[in-house]
Amino acid sequence: MVSIRLLGPPVVEIGGRPAKPPRGRKAWALLAYLLLAERPPSRKRLAELLFGDADDPLGALRWTLAELRRSLGLKEALSGDPVRTDFGEDVTVDVRVLLDQDADPAPLLELGGELLEGVHLASSLEFESWLLVARHRVAGMIEARLRQAAARLLAAGRAKEAVVYAARAVEHNPLDEGNHELLVRSLTMAGDRPAALKQVSVCEDLMRRELGVRTSPALREAATVGSDSPMLPPLSGRAAAISQLNAGRAAITAGAVAAGVQCLRTAVAEASRTGDAALKARAYCALGSALVHALQGRDEEGSLALHEAILHAVAAGDRSVAVTAHKELGFVEVKAGRRTAATMWLTKAAEMAQTDAEMAAVCGVLGQNTSDQGDYRAAIGHLEESIERAARCGDHKQHAWSLSILGRVHLMRDERSQAHAVLRRSLELTEEQRWMAFLPWPTALHAEIDLRMGDVDAAADGLERAWVLACQVEDPCWEGTAARGLGLLSRNRGDHTAAFRWFGQATDSCNRLPDRYQWVHANVLDATITCALDAGDTERARPLVATLGSLAARCDMREWVVRAHLHNARLGDRTALASARMLGAGIDNPALAALLR
């Protein structure tokens, strides 16, 4: 057995013993690049990336590949052009363990150090740029796996075991309030409420000192999980659970979110008393979906309810509930930028889905995820399928939602006529359905297209309307999007002071709750940086570029990674443009390609 460890100081083990390492840091760099590349790279590309300073770059590549084969003890490995890394079952790679969401999570507790710790190639700045992004991305993958392991253990009633994984998630990313909430909830459910309250205080102090923000109410409430159970109405029986379930759904549809969620909590409690697995699955799924969509700042609690729903749905053989719960968990991961986990949940949902309505919903979130990643070709395919299926089954809200994400793809690609038509239709459907909670989003996107097309008055009307509506529904993401648009409008009018005021408001809105939509946050940062650089305000721009680059890499938002490098080029970094071109080579976006040229 051959074991390749790339996390921490890189090492190869054969038969459980350390093997003689390959000579030179570039050998480790080459191996990591090959193992993490989305598709096998050509020899020409590898030679340019790592051996461009050699007299014979291709010769240097051949020698290094041979050195790796010797170290791995695999004579036939790393051959061909493009270079293949199909090592076989006898070779394990620690980083690849992270990609398997269903694998035993225990090895995660043993992982330590960053990717290729101690390896730096001053002579290959393009590789250094790639490595920086890869380190952030891998760190995000580890954090996502730890969180998922904790959530699954909590749903299975194994809270003490969940504590260990939740604590490691906090260690990996201590500035994510959601990680602290997961740990607090795990400690509380494990019966250690004093430790849970202590963790609440630790998080509150950390967020105040490091980020200057207050934590959400959900954090402290996580330390009281189960304490209100005795206060529930003294109902009993299956009929009571169904009644509360229906009442909760109706209340949320009517806009009485708080009352509706309370009804759904009661439905969960009553369903749990019946022992009816199918009813428990429905109640937990309804509660989880409501917490994710209808209440802000409740994604952690909602995710745990959805994990419970899956357990009960599997036990009851309820395919439909399982599809919905998997799709909703995928949506939570998309918002947070945890791509590997999102893809896993959505792929499973798609495999189980049978109806047009189910596939329309799943394809819509798949389109959102791939769009966020910058894979616009795949996104358009998913979204067009979602739109077609939603229209066929008469799901007008899903139709409007998927159209809005497709319009956003066209907006990113600066395809103005397509974006205008698609967003116009999304807006019409949203208004026809009186879907006020969603209306600010297509309104703001459509107004941005009006602004790009030169209709400033229409843009102003749309953005002001989007802002007012977003404030009325108290949705931070919609507020951030609308405020960003108003910042762009002010910049268009030459009022940079007002623009920065609106961009600041957009940032505040995005940061108000822990479960923000990371793509919207990156979109706001990019607009703020662009405006600052246009105004010659490099002091404002520089720290924001660092924030955007780190956020985009960790959340695998590839276009934003490239744009962060382009901003660095404007700030005077002479290597940034070359890095941007390398990282943006696979992104099918004519607008981005024009910037790279």
Side-chain angles (χ1 to χ4, degrees):
M1 292 293 294
V2 178
S3 175
I4 302 172
R5 294 210 306 266
L6 298 177
L7 295 171
V11 65
V12 172
E13 292 181 350
I14 299 178
R17 296 182 177 181
K20 184 179 179 181
R23 285 175 287 179
R25 288 173 297 176
K26 287 191 176 181
W28 290 119
L30 174 60
L31 182 59
Y33 189 83
L34 287 168
L35 290 171
L36 292 173
E38 291 185 358
R39 57 187 65 86
S42 69
R43 288 179 175 251
K44 181 175 182 292
R45 174 65 192 137
L46 292 169
E48 291 173 347
L49 179 66
L50 290 167
F51 306 101
D53 58 342
D55 293 334
D56 180 6
L58 286 172
L61 173 63
R62 286 192 295 272
W63 182 90
T64 307
L65 288 171
E67 185 69 8
L68 284 171
R69 292 189 200 99
R70 180 197 57 75
S71 181
L72 296 170
L74 302 171
K75 295 181 179 179
E76 305 300 324
L78 304 172
S79 60
D81 188 9
V83 179
R84 300 189 304 272
T85 57
D86 44 351
F87 292 142
E89 296 181 359
D90 291 338
V91 179
T92 61
V93 183
D94 59 354
V95 177
R96 287 184 171 175
V97 172
L98 304 175
L99 300 175
D100 186 356
Q101 298 291 311
D102 291 323
D104 178 7
L108 293 168
L109 300 176
E110 301 173 7
L111 296 176
E114 66 179 4
L115 179 67
L116 289 189
E117 187 173 303
V119 175
H120 297 284
L121 302 182
S123 62
S124 181
L125 295 176
E126 283 189 50
F127 175 80
E128 283 289 294
S129 296
W130 173 86
L131 181 58
L132 178 62
V133 172
R135 281 172 172 162
H136 282 296
R137 189 175 298 161
V138 167
M141 291 163 61
I142 295 172
E143 180 188 347
R145 286 289 320 278
L146 290 166
R147 289 171 52 86
Q148 182 178 306
R152 282 179 166 172
L153 289 166
L154 280 178
R158 297 158 61 185
K160 288 185 178 180
E161 296 172 65
V163 167
V164 180
Y165 291 94
R168 287 299 297 272
V170 170
E171 290 177 19
H172 272 272
N173 188 3
L175 295 181
D176 186 320
E177 184 187 321
N179 290 342
H180 290 271
E181 184 186 333
L182 184 60
L183 177 55
V184 170
R185 196 173 295 275
S186 300
L187 289 165
T188 303
M189 294 178 72
D192 194 348
R193 192 158 184 266
L197 290 172
K198 181 179 179 181
Q199 188 63 36
V200 169
S201 297
V202 168
C203 180
E204 289 174 339
D205 180 63
L206 183 65
M207 296 299 160
R208 182 174 57 254
R209 284 188 294 104
E210 297 295 329
L211 301 179
V213 299
R214 298 178 62 182
T215 57
S216 67
L219 176 71
R220 189 160 286 276
E221 289 173 19
T224 62
V225 175
S227 62
D228 58 349
S229 296
M231 304 301 293
L232 290 172
L235 303 176
S236 62
R238 192 170 184 277
I242 294 173
S243 174
Q244 290 295 312
L245 180 59
N246 292 336
R249 287 171 169 166
I252 289 171
T253 300
V257 174
V261 168
Q262 185 54 48
C263 286
L264 293 177
R265 292 189 195 280
T266 305
V268 164
E270 293 302 323
S272 297
R273 292 170 188 168
T274 68
D276 184 332
L279 183 56
K280 285 191 283 186
R282 288 167 53 199
Y284 271 110
C285 189
L287 175 61
S289 298
L291 290 169
V292 167
H293 291 286
L295 276 183
Q296 303 300 321
R298 300 290 173 165
D299 279 6
E300 294 300 327
E301 184 185 357
S303 294
L304 294 176
L306 292 166
H307 276 280
E308 290 266 12
I310 290 173
L311 285 178
H312 298 306
V314 170
D318 193 328
R319 181 199 57 79
S320 179
V321 169
V323 170
T324 300
H326 278 81
K327 184 264 296 181
E328 295 288 25
L329 281 169
F331 176 73
V332 170
E333 300 300 308
V334 171
K335 280 178 59 183
R338 296 186 283 264
R339 305 295 164 201
T340 305
T343 301
M344 183 274 292
W345 290 119
L346 295 172
T347 299
K348 287 186 175 181
E351 290 170 351
M352 292 185 289
Q354 294 179 2
T355 68
D356 277 335
E358 291 170 347
M359 281 303 299
V362 174
C363 286
V365 185
L366 280 168
Q368 180 186 18
N369 191 42
T370 47
S371 169
D372 287 3
Q373 285 181 288
D375 188 352
Y376 298 118
R377 190 175 299 277
I380 290 170
H382 290 310
L383 293 167
E384 287 180 344
E385 180 177 355
S386 175
I387 290 162
E388 179 183 348
R389 287 179 178 271
R392 194 156 60 209
C393 69
D395 189 341
H396 302 302
K397 285 187 175 180
Q398 183 63 57
H399 192 175
W401 189 90
S402 296
L403 281 169
S404 76
I405 303 299
L406 180 59
R408 190 190 70 175
V409 170
H410 290 307
L411 190 63
M412 288 295 294
R413 290 165 58 90
D414 202 28
E415 296 166 336
R416 301 182 185 185
S417 60
Q418 296 99 313
H420 191 274
V422 167
L423 291 169
R424 179 72 256 169
R425 182 57 181 150
S426 174
L427 199 49
E428 290 170 354
L429 284 169
T430 304
E431 290 173 335
E432 287 171 8
Q433 297 300 306
R434 296 184 174 86
W435 192 7
M436 302 308 293
F438 181 68
L439 187 56
W441 172 249
T443 301
L445 293 178
H446 189 270
E448 184 171 341
I449 280 295
D450 284 333
L451 184 61
R452 290 196 194 183
M453 298 177 76
D455 194 342
V456 178
D457 291 339
D461 289 343
L463 290 167
E464 289 167 7
R465 183 186 182 213
W467 170 252
V468 171
L469 289 168
C471 292
Q472 287 175 348
V473 300
E474 298 182 329
D475 189 304
C477 288
W478 300 164
E479 289 176 23
T481 299
R484 173 187 173 278
L486 287 164
L488 295 175
L489 177 68
S490 297
R491 185 187 69 173
N492 180 274
R493 290 170 167 170
D495 189 346
H496 284 82
T497 301
F500 288 128
R501 191 161 54 243
W502 278 115
F503 289 140
Q505 178 61 61
T507 300
D508 290 344
S509 296
C510 288
N511 290 331
R512 192 162 78 226
L513 293 174
D515 53 1
R516 60 177 173 260
Y517 182 16
Q518 299 290 16
W519 187 93
V520 169
H521 186 203
N523 198 26
V524 169
L525 285 169
D526 179 70
T528 310
I529 294 164
T530 300
C531 186
L533 291 174
D534 288 347
D537 191 347
T538 57
E539 289 188 10
R540 185 193 299 266
R542 199 174 300 278
L544 296 178
V545 173
T547 300
L548 175 61
S550 175
L551 173 70
R554 191 175 191 88
C555 296
D556 198 11
M557 297 184 290
R558 298 168 194 179
E559 175 153 348
W560 297 127
V561 170
V562 174
R563 287 178 178 265
H565 279 80
L566 288 171
H567 293 316
N568 271 324
R570 293 187 67 184
L571 286 167
D573 185 339
R574 295 183 179 181
T575 66
L577 182 57
S579 297
R581 286 171 174 161
M582 178 193 72
L583 296 167
I587 300 176
D588 183 16
N589 183 351
L592 183 65
L595 291 175
L596 292 171
R597 286 194 298 270

